[in-house]
Amino acid sequence: MTRIAIYPGSFDPVTRGHEDIVRRSLYLADELIVAVAANQEKEPLFTIDERVELLKIALGDLSGVEVRSFDGLLTEFAREHKAHIIIRGLRAFSDFDYESQMALMNRQLDPDLETVFLVPALHLTYLSSSLVREVARLRGDVSSLVHPAVDEALRAKLGG
Ligand code: PNS
């Protein structure tokens, strides 16, 4: 049986932390679909197409990984792609509140879906897309926290 997993998120933008979780997911899944959510209530910095493109560049060398966007319910997207595993990164215990709520809601919507939490490398545990955006907006150096293409895209978008 092919194990298909989905790693959903906003990825606004993808960071070295996300890349780390993708690599770790490949120990569990034969195929991983990185799913970029379009229907976010928050106004993203990057468009859905830009976020997908940056993910494709950042994950370019990995086989068994596909990047797609989705609109609507994650559980529907998972069903369409015959995935039974949802991957989420857990950085600090403070993430757990929101993450366990989402996992339980997704299980309510589809009992055949199992959420698996993965912990990133220790040196990446503080990293988030929102902090990267904030630092980049204030002209701080984020080059060690994101792929060079993302660093360039942030400069193009925000100046600097
Ligand atoms: O990176 P994020 O913003 O923490 O990711 C949140 C995301 C995209 C995984 C979540 O909002 C989601 O699954 N959105 C799709 C719509 C949906 O299914 N909502 C119900 C979630 S319980």
Side-chain angles (χ1 to χ4, degrees), residues 43-92:
E43 183 72 22
L45 176 63
F46 291 99
T47 66
I48 187 78
D49 290 342
E50 287 169 336
R51 285 180 276 149
V52 167
E53 193 52 35
L54 289 173
L55 266 159
K56 282 184 179 169
I57 295 170
L59 303 174
D61 60 333
L62 290 177
S63 65
V65 179
E66 202 183 331
V67 183
R68 286 174 177 267
S69 61
F70 75 104
D71 209 351
L73 279 178
L74 175 62
T75 48
E76 288 302 318
F77 181 81
R79 211 188 305 252
E80 276 166 31
H81 290 86
K82 300 184 172 26
H84 293 285
I85 306 169
I86 295 176
I87 304 278
R88 290 288 287 171
L90 214 54
R91 291 161 303 183

Side-chain angles (χ1 to χ4, degrees), residues 7-12 18 35-42 51 70-77 86-88 91 98-99 101-107 109 129:
Y7 178 30
S10 306
F11 303 104
D12 186 33
H18 296 126
V36 188
N39 59 346
Q40 290 293 291
E41 285 166 17
K42 42 197 170 183
R51 285 180 276 149
F70 75 104
D71 209 351
L73 279 178
L74 175 62
T75 48
E76 288 302 318
F77 181 81
I86 295 176
I87 304 278
R88 290 288 287 171
R91 291 161 303 183
Y98 169 62
E99 293 297 336
Q101 265 186 306
M102 276 212 303
L104 290 169
M105 177 57 87
N106 284 328
R107 180 180 285 163
L109 294 169
S129 294

Side-chain angles (χ1 to χ4, degrees), residues 72-146:
L73 279 178
L74 175 62
T75 48
E76 288 302 318
F77 181 81
R79 211 188 305 252
E80 276 166 31
H81 290 86
K82 300 184 172 26
H84 293 285
I85 306 169
I86 295 176
I87 304 278
R88 290 288 287 171
L90 214 54
R91 291 161 303 183
F93 202 74
S94 52
D95 283 345
F96 187 71
D97 206 19
Y98 169 62
E99 293 297 336
S100 62
Q101 265 186 306
M102 276 212 303
L104 290 169
M105 177 57 87
N106 284 328
R107 180 180 285 163
Q108 166 70 25
L109 294 169
D110 184 350
D112 292 333
L113 260 177
E114 210 53 59
T115 301
V116 176
F117 298 121
L118 295 183
V119 178
L122 187 61
H123 70 284
L124 298 169
T125 47
Y126 68 96
L127 191 52
S128 69
S129 294
S130 57
L131 272 183
V132 164
R133 289 197 305 273
E134 183 178 336
V135 172
R137 223 175 237 127
L138 299 169
R139 309 276 195 272
D141 181 6
V142 293
S143 59
S144 64
L145 310 177
V146 295

